[in-house]
Amino acid sequence: MGAKQSKPAEDVNPESPSKFGLGGDKQTDLQFVSKYKPQTEGQQLRILLHGLNGAGKSSFINSVHSVLKGRISALALVDSIAYDCFTKQYTTYKIEKGNPNTFYPFVLNDMMGMKNANDRVHVKDMKRAMRGHVKDGYTFNHVYKLSKEDPYYNESPTINDKVHVLVCVIDASTDDLCGENVARTLREIRLEASELGIPQVAVFTKIDAAVPEIKQDIRNIYKSKKLKMERFSVNVGIPMNCIFAVQNYHSEMHLHNDIDTLILSTLRRIIAFGDDFLNKQNMC
Ligand SMILES: Nc1nc2c(ncn2[C@@H]2O[C@H](COP(=O)(O)OP(=O)(O)OP(=O)(O)O)[C@@H](O)[C@H]2O)c(=O)[nH]1
Ligand SMILES: [Mg+2]
């Protein structure tokens, strides 16, 4: 698939989402992301994705990669039958920027999803991951947490190993976004992140399945009561202005302007939140 073929078409729709401020302005957001540089040379902004299995974490990474590369790509592996946790390893994804071996100064971390609300091992592993103790390549399991004796335990994490923004990925297409117990567990993870000062956002995925009307008009996204964002916000404690909605690239052959716009505006905000935290850390 060549770049020419996948180049997003100019948005000729006078009622495009960007014009309604729903997804921000694509070019401005793209410029922000392209120009972003942490204040301190050599620093890297780490974005950790978590959530229930099958929520769309790996697909979000692929979507960000696709938008920034200008073509559909599959950096992180995704399973089409999400009956169990497909991603098992802790993996840091870097995105090449222009020249080979030049990367964006932010990375996206994928990890095994939470099996259910009683997945205590996941909560413990999350705490270690946020503090930077989990090395790349660690294979998670549901039976025991990463031990301090494990070769994949990072005893002395640097600022680059620690997480700077936590992204809770939610499948918006399920009837019950997250039951009471899952919400409690997500809240527990959120409180741990808050103790470390790590900002948190939520990204609702699969809005195409949740709100089929958006296929005709993507402006319906944030209006749609079907997304139940307010209820999620109250249950988990993430404020409404930190909750975003996207459609991941999951079956598309080409990029689409509206999908790009939502992914980019979400990414921009994630980076901005993480950067604030990174700067605060540097001042300490
Ligand atoms: N319709 C639709 N399907 C999606 C979207 N995002 C992801 N999917 C599908 O949802 C399934 C699970 O997606 P993954 O990205 O593997 O989810 P995950 O959170 O990484 O899952 P685990 O690794 O198992 O924890 C796959 O079949 C994807 O194609 C989306 O925005 N819309
Ligand atoms: Mg995955």
Side-chain angles (χ1 to χ4, degrees):
M1 204 174 310
K4 197 173 171 210
Q5 200 179 10
S6 56
K7 187 174 179 285
E10 269 312 299
D11 197 346
V12 290
N13 178 2
E15 297 194 329
S16 73
S18 53
K19 292 193 174 66
F20 281 82
L22 285 177
D25 177 81
K26 183 177 160 184
Q27 287 315 321
T28 315
D29 291 340
L30 188 58
Q31 217 173 34
F32 175 93
V33 173
S34 301
K35 290 200 168 153
Y36 171 68
K37 243 184 170 181
Q39 267 177 13
T40 308
E41 191 67 34
Q43 267 188 355
Q44 168 184 274
L45 186 89
R46 189 174 293 276
I47 301 163
L48 174 61
L49 304 171
H50 78 111
L52 283 167
N53 75 68
K57 300 178 286 300
S58 305
S59 300
F60 182 70
I61 292 173
N62 287 339
S63 301
V64 167
H65 190 248
S66 298
V67 175
L68 295 180
K69 293 299 267 187
R71 61 175 166 80
I72 297 292
S73 67
L75 194 62
L77 291 182
V78 166
D79 193 17
S80 58
I81 316 158
Y83 65 93
D84 194 12
C85 304
F86 185 65
T87 304
K88 298 263 192 292
Q89 283 189 348
Y90 193 65
T91 309
T92 299
Y93 289 100
K94 291 179 175 188
I95 301 175
E96 232 173 38
K97 188 181 183 187
N99 310 323
N101 292 323
T102 309
F103 297 91
Y104 284 90
F106 58 85
V107 294
L108 294 142
N109 260 107
D110 202 2
M111 68 180 292
M112 186 159 85
M114 186 164 82
K115 205 172 174 186
N116 54 46
N118 303 319
D119 192 350
R120 300 308 305 164
V121 172
H122 177 82
V123 176
K124 287 173 187 161
D125 281 335
M126 276 297 301
K127 293 179 180 177
R128 302 222 138 149
M130 285 192 279
R131 291 182 154 85
H133 289 302
V134 184
K135 285 190 193 168
D136 230 46
Y138 174 65
T139 304
F140 294 98
N141 68 80
H142 291 298
V143 185
Y144 51 85
K145 66 175 183 188
L146 171 66
S147 83
K148 288 187 177 169
E149 290 71 44
D150 195 291
Y152 284 98
Y153 183 86
N154 182 355
E155 254 176 60
S156 37
T158 66
I159 189 160
N160 279 354
D161 298 320
K162 296 178 185 175
V163 169
H164 307 116
V165 54
L166 185 65
V167 178
C168 179
V169 180
I170 295 291
D171 176 350
S173 71
T174 52
D175 284 343
D176 188 11
L177 281 183
C178 67
E180 207 178 293
N181 293 337
V182 173
R184 199 178 310 124
T185 308
L186 292 178
R187 190 166 168 76
E188 185 184 341
I189 293 170
R190 170 173 152 69
L191 292 178
E192 180 74 16
S194 299
E195 246 172 61
L196 299 171
I198 301 172
Q200 306 116 44
V201 307
V203 173
F204 280 35
T205 60
K206 310 193 191 182
I207 54 168
D208 52 312
V211 191
E213 301 89 287
I214 67 148
K215 283 188 187 133
Q216 278 80 46
D217 189 345
I218 207 163
R219 289 175 300 155
N220 293 327
I221 301 169
Y222 288 100
K223 278 191 259 164
S224 175
K225 293 249 182 297
K226 286 188 189 168
L227 288 186
K228 300 177 196 133
M229 283 178 163
E230 280 99 351
R231 221 177 82 201
F232 175 84
S233 172
V234 169
N235 289 348
V236 178
I238 298 179
M240 281 298 287
N241 59 1
C242 296
I243 303 179
F244 308 102
V246 299
Q247 175 184 337
N248 283 324
Y249 283 112
H250 62 102
S251 62
E252 296 72 13
M253 303 295 283
H254 306 291
L255 297 182
H256 294 276
N257 208 35
D258 288 349
I259 299 179
D260 284 359
T261 302
L262 290 175
I263 298 278
L264 272 172
S265 77
T266 301
L267 177 65
R268 175 186 179 159
R269 288 186 174 97
I270 291 172
I271 292 174
F273 284 129
D275 190 55
D276 287 343
F277 175 59
L278 204 51
N279 294 338
K280 229 192 294 169
Q281 293 287 99
N282 288 333
M283 284 192 285
C284 295

